[in-house]
Amino acid sequence: KGHAFDSIPAGATYTLLDIKDQGIINRMWITIRDRSPQMLRGLKLEMYWDGSDKPAVSVPFGDFFGVGLGQTTTFQNALFANAEGRSFNCFIPMPFKSGAKIQAVNESGLRQENIFFDIDYSLLKEWKDEYLYFHAYWQRDTATKLAQDFEILPQLDGKGRFLGTNVGV
């Protein structure tokens, strides 16, 4: 990218990665200056695979990285880490067949000063049919009704695995 960090004005979209090739994302590392609950919910990550105009991932930044309640803390597991409570790491392999684009959308109403990031990926020589695209679905409902089930994930068609989480409100 040629420089250490950038800022994202309120209402702006900032592209973290835009590659037109075949590969797999191996790790994402991001740290942001404003880690307030408002920014962790108002900064949104969007990921697009293979030139799609519909994001496969559209999730608030904090919720994506396991900080759904707006309070950062140190943690580490097989897929995510926040080793010192200030940076956000994702180790989920995310293959793409012809391109990948990752954007940060600032819907917080505040300027995000100083976003630092590093996205590590490898180019692939051949595509394997067992590769699965990464998707993340996020929804929130603060008006649930007694005796009415809350839908965690709408009905989807296709192959894949569901990895549920109870992070967020």
Side-chain angles (χ1 to χ4, degrees), residues 71-97:
Q71 296 293 320
T72 60
T73 188
T74 60
F75 73 91
Q76 186 168 343
N77 60 46
L79 302 176
F80 296 95
N82 190 344
E84 69 290 318
R86 295 185 312 270
S87 65
F88 303 89
N89 294 274
C90 174
F91 305 103
I92 298 172
M94 299 181 212
F96 49 93
K97 197 170 191 176

Side-chain angles (χ1 to χ4, degrees), residues 19-94:
I19 184 169
K20 294 178 181 33
D21 212 328
Q22 183 170 267
I24 186 166
I25 296 169
N26 300 302
R27 179 187 74 97
M28 294 186 344
W29 169 86
I30 303 174
T31 190
I32 54 178
R33 182 175 184 180
D34 181 355
R35 292 182 288 276
S36 67
Q38 182 180 355
M39 188 58 74
L40 291 172
R41 183 57 54 88
L43 187 63
K44 185 170 60 173
L45 282 178
E46 292 188 339
M47 301 179 194
Y48 301 83
W49 312 129
D50 301 344
S52 176
D53 59 351
K54 181 180 178 189
V57 175
S58 184
V59 178
F61 184 87
D63 293 86
F64 181 83
F65 287 103
V67 187
L69 299 175
Q71 296 293 320
T72 60
T73 188
T74 60
F75 73 91
Q76 186 168 343
N77 60 46
L79 302 176
F80 296 95
N82 190 344
E84 69 290 318
R86 295 185 312 270
S87 65
F88 303 89
N89 294 274
C90 174
F91 305 103
I92 298 172
M94 299 181 212

Side-chain angles (χ1 to χ4, degrees), residues 108-127:
S108 72
L110 303 171
R111 180 178 181 84
Q112 174 54 258
E113 298 289 344
N114 303 358
I115 178 170
F116 298 81
F117 65 94
D118 183 51
I119 300 175
D120 298 334
Y121 63 90
S122 303
L123 297 178
L124 297 172
K125 292 182 181 179
E126 69 179 74
W127 183 261

